[in-house]
Amino acid sequence: MRAQPTASHYINGAYVDDPEGAAIESRYPATGEVIARLNAASHRTVNAAVAAARDGFRVWAATPPAERGAVLRRAADILRARNRELSELETLDTGKPLQETLVADAASGADCLDYFGGLTRTLTGEHIDLGGSFAYTRREPLGVVAAIGAWNYPIQIACWKAAPALACGNAVVFKPSELTPLSALRLAEALTEAGLPAGVFNVVQGYGDTGAHLVSHPEVAKVSLTGSVPTGVKVAELAAKTLKHVTLELGGKSPLIVFDDADVENAVSAAINANFYSTGQICSNGTRVFVQKGIKEAFLRRLAERTAKARLGDPLDEETHIGPLVSRAQMDKVLAYMQLGRNEGARLVCGGGPAEVASLPEGYFVQPTVFADVADHMRIAREEIFGPVMCVIDFDTEDEAVARANATEFGLAAGVFTRDLARGHRVVAKLHAGTCWINTYNLTPIEMPFGGYKHSGIGRENGHAAIEHYSQVKSVYVELGDVASAY
Ligand code: NAD
């Protein structure tokens, strides 16, 4: 597997280097080894990417929607044909187990391209009867979209932004996270091979300052960020200066509420998926697991038994369930929260520290960790940790669970486990969260809108809802009679 790309950036349909930019190293988190060396984009390179996108936009916006759709669907086929190679690359760049990347990363990206490729022919306006005269609306693209990704789902995030943007006729400049720069370049290659005109999808590498320059660029019409809340605030402030459209997919501290009539095995499965999948590095994770007191001990017993069976190890081994965290800095942060949980008086059920993988002594591995008897005021129950740390919290009544679940500035996601479906619907209707699950957790099919309430974000990705965020409506009034005038 060759991880080193041909060059750092992809602009106007070709690889471009820019040695002026700061060095970026991609490391394999299981070993700490450098697998690729790149450079950040200087302002000159960002400007070149935006200029290419501006020119590409003119061509693409004039391309018939059916043709746009065909290009996106061909790109989906290319990603699927290369799924193993792309998955291995994503595993090297992120440290996520191949068992996951084979099904959740490029595969989700391909689904997204396929879905929005299918939608292009349905992007119609409406006809409005005004009695004699009429009006109609046109759904038009916004222009150049600046898209900025996080490191946990690099190619999936790139596709979740590019597919709806391109379906609507926009051009894109995508900046991956500096920690995971590689797979977006492969997406750019696939889009070019699928027939996307040069300049319509560009990739520039860089740190936050490159992102900020891109967001501030006067020729960018729309910004879409996936990242943390503090970055979201900065990006919204920068975008406000030139009144750009903004989509923000930010962090969370989501509740998963398990009532005592729930199927315990399924609830434990969901809690495991909601905390340990991708080594806990998922924005929508259900990290506050509220368990009704009647099943608390049974739940904790099965959770500990099943977590003990998790196989930590080399992420390139398909038998591995849990890989390392993405970076040493992330590992240090997560370990500090594990210590904090103990200091705050939570009861450690399992895990709680670094994990030893004998063959990979330099890897950023930590143990999947469960704290019980967690109180709402503890920092481990309030702050996004972004690692495999589950907080189990007791509750007595439905109203109490809802009130405590909502007592957070975040509102990305929530889950409810109960055999009483009336209660399931009643509770999700009261939860302040953009994406909710009843009797499952963290499934994000492309058909379903995804996004946050409160500080977890603005706008929606996926589903028909995403179209609203990558297009604008033009109203056209057509007079069929005479024009009345007072004089
Ligand atoms: P981050 O906020 O540190 O960085 C996100 C991206 O923003 C990176 O590409 C970074 O270079 C860029 N950036 C940083 N400062 C910037 C600035 N001033 N202007 C423009 N761009 C800037 O986030 P991260 O550590 O990469 O990712 C983890 C966070 O992302 C978590 O909070 C997680 O919850 C969130 N996330 C959210 C979703 C979602 O869909 N809601 C999905 C994945 C991750």
Side-chain angles (χ1 to χ4, degrees):
M1 161 59 54
R2 183 186 55 90
Q4 180 67 40
T6 307
S8 296
H9 318 291
Y10 194 95
I11 298 173
N12 213 15
Y15 275 103
V16 178
D17 255 329
D18 176 3
E20 254 177 65
I24 293 177
E25 286 177 342
S26 168
R27 287 174 190 272
Y28 180 37
T31 61
E33 282 168 293
V34 175
I35 54 163
R37 294 179 199 280
L38 301 90
N39 289 92
S42 63
H43 287 189
R44 194 171 49 81
T45 296
V46 172
N47 296 346
V50 174
R54 183 197 56 213
D55 294 345
F57 169 63
R58 290 203 193 98
V59 177
W60 187 239
T63 302
E67 254 177 67
R68 296 205 297 255
V71 169
L72 296 186
R73 292 199 311 280
R74 277 199 296 273
D77 290 343
I78 293 171
L79 292 196
R80 286 183 180 131
R82 293 179 191 162
N83 187 48
R84 176 158 286 272
E85 184 192 341
L86 292 169
S87 304
E88 286 174 5
L89 185 68
E90 208 71 310
T91 288
L92 286 173
D93 216 6
T94 62
K96 296 194 298 176
L98 193 54
Q99 190 183 87
E100 294 185 12
T101 51
L102 280 169
V103 296
D105 292 78
S108 167
D111 273 353
C112 190
L113 288 161
D114 211 3
Y115 175 82
F116 285 103
L119 273 194
T120 57
R121 293 207 258 201
T122 71
L123 303 180
T124 54
E126 57 179 340
H127 173 272
I128 302 153
D129 187 351
L130 299 171
S133 301
F134 68 96
Y136 64 95
T137 60
R138 291 169 49 81
R139 187 163 285 284
E140 297 185 348
L142 297 166
V144 176
V145 173
I148 299 177
W151 42 258
N152 58 342
Y153 278 81
I155 198 168
Q156 187 201 80
I157 290 172
C159 290
W160 283 21
K161 297 187 186 310
L166 299 178
C168 292
N170 302 283
V172 175
V173 179
F174 184 73
K175 190 199 84 63
S177 163
E178 57 272 30
L179 288 175
T180 53
L182 303 179
S183 56
L185 294 167
R186 300 297 181 89
L187 172 64
E189 286 178 16
L191 285 163
T192 298
E193 284 174 51
L196 192 74
V200 181
F201 181 77
N202 308 275
V203 177
V204 293
Q205 308 292 347
Y207 297 90
D209 59 330
T210 303
H213 181 65
L214 182 58
V215 169
S216 311
H217 198 293
E219 289 189 83
V220 166
K222 151 101 194 179
V223 178
S224 177
L225 168 81
T226 296
S228 60
V229 174
T231 304
V233 171
K234 285 186 210 154
V235 163
E237 275 173 4
L238 284 177
K241 291 195 177 132
T242 40
L243 287 178
K244 293 177 164 75
H245 298 253
V246 174
T247 295
L248 300 174
E249 292 289 351
L250 307 177
K253 190 77 190 177
S254 299
L256 168 57
I257 304 174
V258 182
F259 287 98
D260 57 16
D261 67 343
D263 179 310
V264 174
E265 283 307 303
N266 283 330
V268 168
S269 297
I272 287 172
N273 294 341
N275 283 272
F276 303 147
Y277 200 76
S278 295
T279 320
Q281 303 163 113
I282 299 185
C283 52
S284 50
N285 269 356
T287 46
R288 291 183 296 143
V289 182
F290 289 89
V291 181
Q292 204 162 17
K293 283 187 180 147
I295 56 159
K296 175 184 166 185
E297 291 312 324
F299 180 90
L300 285 174
R301 190 174 55 251
R302 285 300 289 147
L303 184 60
E305 284 166 7
R306 291 178 54 186
T307 302
K309 293 190 185 142
R311 274 193 298 273
L312 265 82
D314 184 351
L316 286 169
D317 176 349
E318 275 182 57
E319 299 299 310
T320 293
H321 296 131
I322 299 183
L325 290 161
V326 74
S327 65
R328 183 170 295 282
Q330 191 64 15
M331 178 177 74
D332 292 344
K333 179 183 158 192
V334 171
L335 290 173
Y337 272 107
M338 289 176 178
Q339 186 56 46
L340 179 67
R342 286 201 197 82
N343 297 349
E344 288 182 307
R347 171 162 64 97
L348 189 62
V349 175
C350 58
E356 304 297 329
V357 175
S359 57
L360 299 164
E362 301 299 321
Y364 313 135
F365 292 95
V366 301
Q367 296 171 323
T369 295
V370 176
F371 284 108
D373 303 335
V374 175
D376 297 358
H377 70 268
M378 292 179 186
R379 280 180 56 202
I380 56 164
R382 289 190 289 116
E383 298 173 13
E384 185 182 48
I385 299 173
F386 227 57
V389 182
M390 185 191 314
C391 292
V392 177
I393 306 173
D394 309 344
F395 75 95
D396 285 304
T397 69
E398 181 180 316
D399 285 348
E400 174 208 337
V402 168
R404 291 169 61 196
N406 284 337
T408 166
E409 72 269 25
F410 297 112
L412 189 56
V416 179
F417 264 80
T418 175
R419 283 198 175 90
D420 176 353
L421 273 184
R423 170 155 67 185
H425 293 292
R426 186 168 67 233
V427 169
V428 291
K430 291 180 191 157
L431 289 171
H432 303 160
T435 307
C436 295
W437 293 275
I438 298 176
N439 291 335
T440 188
Y441 203 86
N442 257 354
L443 299 180
T444 53
I446 302 301
E447 294 84 345
M448 186 171 95
F450 180 82
Y453 280 17
K454 300 195 279 186
H455 287 193
S456 290
I458 296 174
R460 291 293 174 272
E461 294 194 312
N462 294 341
H464 289 228
I467 297 298
E468 303 290 330
H469 301 289
Y470 287 101
S471 61
Q472 54 196 337
V473 171
K474 177 179 281 173
S475 294
V476 183
Y477 186 116
V478 183
E479 180 57 69
L480 298 179
D482 294 328
V483 178
S485 171
Y487 56 91

